[in-house]
Amino acid sequence: SITADTDDRIDFRFGGTDSVHMDVSGVGVNVTNPLYPFHARAASGGDTAALFLEGPNTGYSTIYLGDTDDIDRCNITYGHSSDEWKLFVGAQKVLEIHTDHASNTGFVVRANNSSYTGNLYQSDLAPSDSNTNAKFLACYSSNPGGSADLEFYLRNDGHAYADGNWNAGGADYA
């Protein structure tokens, strides 16, 4: 049933329980007083609160995030066809992952199949015979608030550079 009583809120009741609430602050799913324009909480006894976007088999499901001037818009897109990328996160920096924990791994790419033969990680950069500034990988160390120090990098022309020496041993495949 749908009720609109004196609390300036519209409630949607399913099976005798108010499940969806709409008021001036937003829409709450299993949340009586939503804190955001859309606020969802896992159902009673459930362990997952989810937003599910189901697109056509040959299309995409996308969530757009942005501010009011649309300059810093980001999208998270899942491609449904088998010959396309499966997850794309795009913005001006395309993908940036931050951690402020002291010992957590910041980024992991994992293949769990012991017979895996594909490329676990691949960088594609447009070829340029005259540009030696493009880098497939650049690794920096820096102090918070300090300037970044480029420790090593792999250029698009096949050259590799390091501040120190490349060391053999110690990282053997076991």
Side-chain angles (χ1 to χ4, degrees):
S1 65
I2 300 173
T3 61
D5 46 35
T6 58
D7 60 1
D8 291 328
R9 182 175 69 203
I10 299 172
D11 300 306
F12 294 83
R13 181 175 288 227
F14 301 95
T17 303
D18 287 347
S19 299
V20 179
H21 308 277
M22 294 175 64
D23 63 21
V24 68
S25 60
V27 175
V29 178
N30 297 318
V31 175
T32 304
N33 298 305
L35 299 175
Y36 306 98
F38 180 79
H39 185 163
R41 180 177 294 141
S44 178
D47 63 357
T48 304
L51 174 63
F52 182 63
L53 304 175
E54 187 172 10
N57 290 340
T58 57
Y60 306 95
S61 296
T62 299
I63 298 172
Y64 291 99
L65 310 167
D67 53 26
T68 56
D69 63 12
D70 227 15
I71 292 174
D72 296 322
R73 186 179 67 208
C74 171
N75 61 294
I76 302 169
T77 302
Y78 175 81
H80 298 284
S81 65
S82 62
D83 60 344
E84 295 205 31
W85 41 264
K86 288 297 181 188
L87 178 66
F88 173 80
V89 180
Q92 289 178 345
K93 290 187 178 179
V94 181
L95 176 62
E96 189 169 320
I97 300 169
H98 291 265
T99 181
D100 58 1
H101 294 273
S103 62
N104 289 14
T105 301
F107 179 72
V108 175
V109 178
R110 177 178 291 130
N112 291 328
N113 188 315
S114 62
S115 301
Y116 182 76
T117 60
N119 295 337
L120 186 57
Y121 174 80
Q122 179 174 327
S123 292
D124 294 325
L125 189 60
S128 174
D129 294 331
S130 61
N131 185 355
T132 58
N133 292 320
K135 298 172 183 71
F136 282 111
L137 177 67
C139 298
Y140 293 86
S141 65
S142 64
N143 295 319
S147 61
D149 179 20
L150 182 59
E151 299 296 344
F152 69 89
Y153 62 94
L154 307 175
R155 281 193 338 206
N156 70 331
D157 63 359
H159 290 95
Y161 296 87
D163 269 359
N165 297 321
W166 294 101
N167 297 308
D172 297 334
Y173 182 79

